Amino acid sequence: MSVRVRFAPSPTGYLHIGSARTALFNFLYARHTGGKFLLRIEDTDLARSTEESTRSILEGLKWLGFAPDEEIVFQSNNAEKHRAAANQLLAEGKAYRDFTPKEAPVDGSVKEAIKERARAQGADKNMRDNPYRDLPASESDARAAGGEAFAIRLKVAESGKTSFDDKVYGLQEREYSETEDLVLLRSDGHPLYNLAVVCDDIEMEITHVIRGQDHLTNTHKQILIYEALGRTPPVFAHLPLIMAPNKGKLSKRKHGEVVSMTTYRDAGFIAAAFRNFLALLGWSASEEREIYSLNELIRKFSLEGIHRSNAVFNFHEGDPKRWTDDKAL
Ligand code: GLU
């Protein structure tokens, strides 16, 4: 089996150092194994995706030297295929039409009552109580033919669990009862994230998904979609997060330019050095060493060397001499 990995950024901002590190690890894994490194721009969130962001992501990757081995895939071009997959699952009875009207405007007190009920149900909430889940196919077909709007939801089995052996975090399990009947297609025909990712990873023949650990919960949902489609999921390796100095979430909104790749390019950093710095945010070759050439990183990189604990990006806000991590400087 030859390895095929992908970096799949959403173009909703500039290339963040966490994303650049994800790109680097995918790139190193592909080069280490003699596989292919692919790039997919996940531009399905039309409201938030911008061309400017895509440009800035491509520029950041170019600066770092991570050229994809095949043509770039733009996820929005695949929407028809995503819809076809949802319709196939519907036809096979593995998904159902949900005719619940889109949130009708409700006054404040009703909203409060709904919230209160959700709170009362708490953890015991039955995720399989959608009234349309077991609507006879003939009735569902007739209502759809009559022009009624519907979303398509995956019919998640009542009992059982999803499990996968994450290459970094080990065995991950989740009871089906903890996962809702997830929406695959919105009522306006818009495919949702988990469906799109699975369809595209299948089509691109991705063998290993290497991405941030904030996607661990999504992975369980994606495995349900793989199972429904009768496909074997890829190998998953989730990466520790990169935290701000106060161990809070590192974000472009809060921390600004210090997390943007192009800041370093524009400040005259050497790409090779910055790659070296990124490689050590959450990975090590189990040796006391900090300086690596790209070829050395490629030779030494392994999924086993990725840490489980989050990495800290140690910059000093308000101190112009130490505006970014000392190690990067
Ligand atoms: N587009 C997703 C993100 O930027 C990544 C999805 C994935 O790698 O599967 O977080």
Side-chain angles (χ1 to χ4, degrees):
M1 178 185 72
S2 98
V3 165
R4 291 171 66 82
V5 294
R6 86 299 192 272
F7 171 52
S10 306
T12 55
Y14 44 66
L15 184 65
H16 176 288
I17 74 158
S19 305
R21 197 253 339 236
T22 301
L24 171 65
F25 285 11
N26 275 284
F27 178 82
L28 292 177
Y29 192 63
R31 290 291 170 273
H32 178 85
T33 55
K36 293 257 192 284
F37 168 73
L38 311 183
L39 176 60
R40 180 171 72 231
I41 302 290
E42 302 210 313
D43 55 349
T44 42
D45 184 342
L46 299 176
R48 295 175 59 223
S49 300
T50 66
E51 269 177 39
E52 192 197 336
S53 164
T54 299
R55 219 175 308 118
S56 133
I57 291 171
L58 296 180
E59 271 183 27
L61 292 176
K62 188 169 164 214
W63 179 61
L64 288 165
F66 309 150
D69 294 318
E70 291 177 7
E71 223 174 287
I72 302 174
V73 172
F74 287 86
Q75 186 159 65
S76 59
N77 289 340
N78 294 342
E80 229 18 86
K81 291 178 192 157
H82 306 152
R83 281 192 273 275
N87 283 315
Q88 176 199 328
L89 295 178
L90 180 64
E92 292 170 356
K94 294 172 181 163
Y96 63 94
R97 295 190 189 92
D98 180 354
F99 294 98
T100 308
K102 257 184 113 182
E103 209 171 280
V106 283
D107 70 43
S109 60
V110 176
K111 233 184 212 159
E112 227 2 85
I114 293 174
K115 268 203 202 138
E116 185 48 47
R117 200 177 58 204
R119 266 197 297 274
Q121 286 172 335
D124 298 332
K125 175 165 165 38
N126 176 7
M127 306 254 208
R128 307 286 167 261
D129 62 0
N130 189 303
Y132 299 103
R133 183 179 158 95
D134 295 311
L135 201 65
S138 55
E139 195 183 327
S140 170
D141 291 348
R143 287 175 75 155
E148 209 174 316
F150 58 86
I152 297 183
R153 283 184 186 272
L154 187 69
K155 203 169 189 175
V156 180
E158 312 252 356
S159 65
K161 62 184 171 195
T162 40
S163 73
F164 62 97
D165 187 18
D166 190 85
K167 288 292 164 225
V168 176
Y169 290 91
L171 181 66
Q172 303 291 311
E173 297 187 314
R174 193 174 158 99
E175 294 292 330
Y176 287 166
S177 61
E178 292 175 53
T179 302
E180 78 279 10
D181 282 347
L182 47 129
V183 175
L184 302 174
L185 273 196
R186 271 198 330 227
S187 60
D188 60 3
H190 189 83
L192 286 193
Y193 167 70
N194 285 304
L195 174 69
V197 167
V198 170
C199 289
D200 291 353
D201 282 341
I202 291 173
E203 172 149 310
M204 293 165 74
E205 298 179 15
I206 297 304
T207 58
H208 294 68
V209 167
I210 304 171
R211 62 182 170 198
Q213 59 106 301
D214 46 330
H215 284 290
L216 276 169
T217 308
N218 278 329
T219 305
H220 289 282
K221 298 180 182 177
Q222 291 171 17
I223 285 177
L224 288 167
I225 300 175
Y226 278 103
E227 286 172 355
L229 291 170
R231 308 296 290 247
T232 309
V235 172
F236 293 98
H238 286 88
L239 308 177
L241 300 180
I242 301 178
M243 315 303 285
N246 66 359
K247 310 272 160 63
K249 196 171 149 35
L250 187 64
S251 81
K252 337 184 201 199
R253 202 166 35 81
K254 243 188 35 246
H255 302 102
E257 297 302 316
V258 71
V259 304
S260 166
M261 244 342 65
T262 41
T263 300
Y264 297 88
R265 180 198 61 189
D266 298 344
F269 278 66
I270 296 165
F274 207 78
R275 270 192 315 248
N276 188 162
F277 167 69
L278 284 177
L280 298 176
L281 281 175
W283 171 83
S284 64
S286 306
E287 58 185 357
E288 287 297 315
R289 187 174 157 188
E290 295 202 319
I291 311 286
Y292 292 96
S293 70
L294 184 59
N295 280 336
E296 287 167 330
L297 288 174
I298 291 171
R299 199 152 15 90
K300 301 215 169 208
F301 188 78
S302 71
L303 299 179
E304 290 71 33
I306 298 173
H307 306 163
R308 286 188 188 188
S309 47
N310 290 334
V312 179
F313 187 45
N314 264 317
F315 55 94
H316 300 81
E317 250 171 331
D319 179 349
K321 285 215 181 86
R322 302 172 77 198
W323 63 274
T324 186
D325 195 290
D326 289 340
K327 201 183 272 183
L329 289 170

